[in-house]
Amino acid sequence: MSYLEFLGNYSDRLIDGSLITLLQFVLAALVAVAAAIISGLIKLAQLKPLQAVATVYIEIFRGTSLLVQLYWFFFVLPLLGVSLEKFVAGFLAVGLCYGAYGAELVRGAIQSVPRGQWEAALALNMSPAQRMWRIILPQALVIMLPPWGNLMVEILKGTALVALISVPDLMFEARQINNNTYLSAQAFGTALVIYYIFARFVVTPLMRWLERVMARRIGRA
Amino acid sequence: MNDDTGRYPLKLEGDNIPMVSFRNVTKKYGDLTVLDRLDLDVAPGEMVTIIGPSGSGKTTVLRSLMTLETIDGGVIYVDGEPLTHMEKGGKLVRANQRHLRRMRAKIGMCFQHFNLFPHMTALENCMEGPVQVLGLPKDEARERALELLGMVGMSEKSDQHPSRLSGGQQQRVAIARALAMRPSVMLFDEVTSALDPEMIGEVTNVIRSLVDQHSLTMLMVTHQMGFAREISDRVCFFYGGSIEEQGAPATIFETPEKERTQQFLSAVLQAN
Amino acid sequence: MFEWRWEFTFEILPRLIGATGKTLLAAGGGYAVALVLGLIFALAQRTPWRVLTVATREVVEFVRSTPLLLQVFFVYYVGPQFGLNLSPWTAGLAAIGLHYAAYLSEVYRGGIESVPKGQWEAAKALNMSTLKTYRRIVIPQALPTAWAGLGNYLVGIFKDTPMLSVIGVGELMHTANAVGAEHYRYLEPYTIVGLIFLAISLPTAWLVRQMEISLRRRLGLTK
Ligand SMILES: Nc1ncnc2c1ncn2[C@@H]1O[C@H](COP(=O)(O)OP(=O)(O)OP(=O)(O)O)[C@@H](O)[C@H]1O
Ligand SMILES: [Mg+2]
């Protein structure tokens, strides 16, 4: 079978898988951003009990493997009475895992906004929430966007693991095709190229664009 | 905080209530005493300049007044009311956030490094406080901001972000931003120190015009002795966290009594 | 509701602890491959041959942008298609080593580039050879910067070893899957695996941080 024939036979499955991968990526990214902001802010706030919860979340998810977390979400949580659809377990595990890494980015970025900005906001008599929301976060966002670009690629790659709980994403389809045809180079090679295109020509340019937009809004571009 | 606050009045009363009053104020960083039982009164409309060697506590005076620092002893009053404390059950207790927010409305501050918000234009910087904190309608806030930007000579640059402005221009915007909150007391902490020499004049001119036309009470820390002498009603020489000597500018600069004042002034004037 | 069973826990614990040794072996082996291959990638990008530089850059970029899991499958299954049979361990170490080599090459590069140009010029002014400049001037200064990255990726590679279970490398995850399938119980094996990972990666990450701090201090480069 020539490679063109291979593509002709299996492009439908590869496209379906790619769409699922993109969907998993978008949902996981949303979960990660939300988890990162919430736990990053909590870690900075002086609320001791909540701080402990955020620390435990961050350390557990950063200290163990994504695959372990995924299996735990999918196989163990139902035993504890929480049944998750495999599709949901997938993006939730990926999102929460990388959200723990993102939390440190959020925290670091907020801390690197110069102290003078807090002080100037206080001198204008702004409330703590106003200071954070209107003065600090917009500046922190510009600081943390570049590392978030890398993290987004990691999230995209991380979604490949959902294939192992049978979510029919690109990784899953490639494996199925391989099992049916033994055309490993074609099946896995094509999937590698598709992931590469997503990472290099979709996710990364999007993040760069976002960086530029935000930098312009802050008057730096 | 020592709990001898019973010694301090709940409110300043009488005819000549000072706009700002430090009573026996102490501030420490660990073992280091930065303000040492400081007493300082500033009358309404008065322009007081603080001079003194590095580390003598000048900045700390302004930061304590802006409530950027908490003091360890004594009480600060603004407009007759306690700032660092509040009344509770007939006694002074440490101020809570609500009290601080109410009192802070009377005070504005300009910083050595401007601290303009980089993600807002000059105009937005000047509208932020009035809209978000004072709750002014946007139109009114814009009008007020434009008027103040005009006063500091920054009308043309009102749509620029701080990164596009020179140091002197940024500092003038910062002054307009503080004034937009209509404070009774303005604090200036070495507002010209971070500026290139040719830009100092544009900022001192703005401060000069404030002295001329407003009934603002002002506290200014500066290393520019000539400027201090020219515009101050009173000059305080700080040493070791308290006032070593104070008086009319002419007296302090021409016939200082204390030896430390003389030494400081001769060192500074020689360097110029 | 499912109860935690202690006697089951103790029954399977020895097997899981035994498998932890294999996980550490996989991580260590993969890391060794990554250290060497990463250095080659990094140096290749500093050569004057443009074709080599660009090609290496692209390879690194490709490897970093694609999932390790897929690379593991690729390395393991593509060989036989062309008559090259790799054992799970060989394929696994090759894949994870290659993947992390791409990351480590960036760490090396970042470390070298963090040394100011003036240092190279000063070394040249002292008439030092290139090799000596690297050894005596550049590497000592690059190390603290690189150290954090090197350490973090060591922890990273350790946490990624479970992906080798998919091609039958008998590490922790693989063993936990087997134990779970034998007893139809997944609560204990997967939870224990998670705890073992925590118990190893948290102290290691902490140690890396401490060593970075002491390294900086020893070299007089406190932040
Ligand atoms: N956050 C802090 N922690 C510890 N020490 C501090 C802190 N802020 C200020 N200090 C110390 O307090 C003392 C007084 O500081 P302050 O900034 O008030 O001095 P200053 O008179 O304004 O000096 P300068 O002319 O250099 O601005 C200094 O010795 C300074 O090192
Ligand atoms: Mg100062």
Side-chain angles (χ1 to χ4, degrees):
Chain A
M1 197 191 299
S2 77
Y3 185 57
L4 276 182
E5 271 178 274
F6 171 83
L7 278 187
N9 287 346
Y10 296 105
S11 59
D12 285 356
R13 298 185 64 170
L14 290 170
I15 289 171
D16 286 350
S18 300
L19 290 179
I20 299 282
T21 287
L22 283 183
L23 195 56
Q24 281 278 328
F25 165 68
V26 170
L27 293 170
L30 289 176
V31 171
V33 168
I37 291 178
I38 293 170
S39 57
L41 284 179
I42 287 177
K43 264 205 104 167
L44 283 171
Q46 307 298 333
L47 307 159
K48 280 277 150 20
L50 274 179
Q51 230 172 18
V53 174
T55 304
V56 168
Y57 157 65
I58 292 171
E59 295 298 334
I60 285 188
F61 278 84
R62 278 166 43 119
T64 58
S65 306
L66 174 55
L67 187 54
V68 178
Q69 292 156 25
L70 192 66
Y71 281 2
W72 212 88
F73 266 64
F74 189 62
F75 294 109
V76 177
L77 273 189
L79 308 177
L80 305 176
V82 186
S83 276
L84 294 176
E85 188 74 39
K86 63 190 174 189
F87 189 85
V88 177
F91 73 77
L92 213 55
V94 177
L96 286 175
C97 176
Y98 289 102
Y101 290 88
E104 294 296 308
L105 299 183
V106 171
R107 195 170 68 110
I110 288 175
Q111 279 178 332
S112 62
V113 174
R115 253 175 73 92
Q117 292 293 313
W118 290 95
E119 297 183 345
L122 184 122
L124 288 182
N125 210 6
M126 299 176 93
S127 70
Q130 285 173 329
R131 273 177 253 161
M132 180 55 99
W133 191 249
R134 298 199 51 89
I135 306 302
I136 304 304
L137 270 186
Q139 298 182 55
L141 191 62
V142 176
I143 297 172
M144 69 183 154
L145 267 179
W148 267 101
N150 291 333
L151 197 61
M152 284 295 167
V153 173
E154 295 298 322
I155 293 175
L156 172 68
K157 288 159 58 185
T159 61
L161 268 63
V162 303
L164 299 178
I165 57 169
S166 305
V167 176
D169 72 336
L170 178 56
M171 172 77 238
F172 183 87
E173 296 295 353
R175 207 175 163 198
Q176 291 286 319
I177 296 170
N178 177 65
N179 290 348
N180 297 342
T181 63
Y182 300 106
L183 295 172
S184 306
Q186 289 87 331
F188 293 129
T190 309
L192 278 171
V193 170
I194 296 175
Y195 275 110
Y196 179 65
I197 289 171
F198 283 166
R200 186 90 185 266
F201 302 108
V202 180
V203 176
T204 304
L206 262 175
M207 291 304 290
R208 290 277 151 74
W209 172 79
L210 203 59
E211 270 173 47
R212 274 199 308 278
V213 169
M214 294 315 291
R216 201 171 314 128
R217 286 187 56 184
I218 205 170
R220 285 231 186 91
Chain B
M1 168 97 29
N2 43 9
D3 44 3
D4 60 347
T5 45
R7 293 168 35 203
Y8 302 96
L10 300 178
K11 235 179 167 88
L12 302 186
E13 274 157 339
D15 286 339
N16 298 317
I17 298 175
M19 194 62 197
V20 172
S21 182
F22 284 69
R23 299 277 173 103
N24 202 27
V25 170
T26 298
K27 167 73 189 170
K28 292 180 181 165
Y29 289 113
D31 291 339
L32 180 71
T33 302
V34 181
L35 295 184
D36 190 8
R37 287 161 292 163
L38 171 70
D39 287 314
L40 169 64
D41 281 1
V42 183
E46 195 181 13
M47 164 56 124
V48 171
T49 300
I50 297 173
I51 60 171
S54 182
S56 57
K58 307 180 297 292
T59 296
T60 309
V61 170
L62 300 193
R63 291 175 59 85
S64 304
L65 191 50
M66 191 66 256
T67 68
L68 289 167
E69 306 286 348
T70 50
I71 57 176
D72 300 299
V75 177
I76 303 176
Y77 296 85
V78 171
D79 206 4
E81 280 189 85
L83 165 78
T84 50
H85 296 72
M86 58 185 201
E87 194 217 301
K88 197 175 178 188
K91 281 202 306 192
L92 281 185
V93 297
R94 195 178 267 264
N96 62 17
Q97 285 305 317
R98 222 173 111 206
H99 179 80
L100 286 177
R101 279 205 80 193
R102 191 169 65 79
M103 293 300 292
R104 254 183 230 138
K106 300 173 197 267
I107 311 166
M109 181 163 181
C110 294
F111 301 85
Q112 184 176 351
H113 295 286
F114 337 126
N115 297 349
L116 287 181
F117 304 133
H119 56 304
M120 301 179 187
T121 63
L123 180 64
E124 287 165 347
N125 263 281
C126 297
M127 290 171 62
E128 180 69 10
V131 171
Q132 298 297 328
V133 178
L134 305 179
L136 250 56
K138 279 218 166 116
D139 295 346
E140 205 178 324
R142 178 173 293 117
E143 210 171 296
R144 181 189 285 192
L146 284 172
E147 185 186 318
L148 286 163
L149 285 171
M151 193 202 88
V152 300
M154 289 295 295
S155 298
E156 266 134 60
K157 303 273 184 180
S158 63
D159 288 331
Q160 298 286 336
H161 281 275
S163 55
R164 294 282 172 81
L165 302 176
S166 73
Q169 292 172 330
Q170 289 190 54
Q171 194 60 285
R172 285 186 278 151
V173 174
I175 294 173
R177 177 177 74 175
L179 290 173
M181 299 299 285
R182 303 254 163 100
S184 314
V185 183
M186 273 288 281
L187 312 177
F188 298 95
D189 187 14
E190 293 196 36
V191 286
T192 55
S193 297
L195 301 180
D196 292 335
E198 73 270 19
M199 292 172 187
I200 291 177
E202 60 193 59
V203 172
T204 49
N205 281 339
V206 168
I207 298 178
R208 199 172 282 126
S209 74
L210 287 180
V211 174
D212 291 345
Q213 55 177 273
H214 283 258
S215 55
L216 262 180
T217 306
M218 291 191 258
L219 260 166
M220 179 173 81
V221 173
T222 186
H223 288 293
Q224 289 180 273
M225 297 304 154
F227 183 53
R229 177 167 182 179
E230 173 204 330
I231 70 158
S232 313
D233 297 314
R234 178 158 49 111
V235 175
C236 297
F237 172 68
F238 264 65
Y239 191 91
S242 57
I243 297 172
E244 178 85 359
E245 187 171 358
Q246 58 179 317
T251 320
I252 294 289
F253 286 110
E254 271 157 41
T255 54
E257 280 175 12
K258 300 279 176 66
E259 202 185 321
R260 282 181 178 137
T261 320
Q262 294 162 0
Q263 278 171 354
F264 173 77
L265 287 174
S266 70
V268 171
L269 296 176
Q270 223 158 48
N272 288 351
Chain C
M1 225 29 183
F2 230 66
E3 297 273 309
W4 183 275
R5 280 215 214 121
W6 284 107
E7 75 276 26
F8 179 58
T9 305
F10 289 119
E11 190 188 321
I12 63 174
L13 203 53
R15 256 177 93 184
L16 290 174
I17 288 175
T20 307
K22 290 194 184 161
T23 285
L24 291 175
L25 193 66
Y31 194 63
V33 174
L35 277 177
V36 176
L37 201 55
L39 188 62
I40 294 172
F41 285 161
L43 292 179
Q45 287 178 68
R46 290 186 71 83
T47 57
W49 302 297
R50 209 168 141 62
V51 178
L52 181 63
T53 313
V54 172
T56 315
R57 176 85 242 125
E58 287 304 315
V59 168
V60 166
E61 205 51 56
F62 188 90
V63 172
R64 267 162 43 104
S65 308
T66 48
L68 171 59
L69 183 65
L70 190 49
Q71 292 166 6
V72 170
F73 278 122
F74 187 89
V75 172
Y76 186 60
Y77 285 105
V78 168
Q81 209 181 348
F82 301 98
L84 176 71
N85 281 308
L86 297 177
S87 75
W89 272 93
T90 315
L93 291 191
I96 208 169
L98 172 71
H99 192 77
Y100 275 88
Y103 284 101
L104 290 191
S105 74
E106 295 292 290
V107 172
Y108 291 129
R109 237 165 50 106
I112 292 172
E113 279 166 15
S114 75
V115 179
K117 248 183 83 158
Q119 294 292 309
W120 289 91
E121 289 166 1
K124 195 164 263 169
L126 292 178
N127 204 14
M128 279 189 177
S129 67
T130 307
L131 199 66
K132 246 216 175 95
T133 307
Y134 266 110
R135 258 211 4 244
R136 312 250 350 130
I137 309 297
V138 176
I139 291 178
Q141 294 185 64
L143 205 57
T145 311
W147 185 263
L150 289 175
N152 289 340
Y153 286 126
L154 175 61
V155 179
I157 210 169
F158 167 68
K159 285 184 300 190
D160 271 351
T161 51
M163 282 191 226
L164 303 187
S165 67
V166 296
I167 53 168
V169 173
E171 48 63 74
L172 251 180
M173 200 70 224
H174 192 262
T175 311
N177 285 336
V179 168
E182 284 163 27
H183 298 85
Y184 301 106
R185 280 189 73 88
Y186 289 96
L187 171 63
E188 292 87 356
Y190 285 160
T191 307
I192 294 170
V193 168
L195 291 175
I196 290 177
F197 271 98
L198 273 182
I200 295 175
S201 65
L202 288 186
T204 312
W206 180 83
L207 209 66
V208 168
R209 261 199 307 278
Q210 294 308 308
M211 286 176 77
E212 188 200 351
I213 293 169
S214 84
L215 200 61
R216 275 186 192 282
R217 202 169 301 135
R218 216 151 10 117
L219 293 166
L221 298 167
T222 30
K223 265 188 199 165

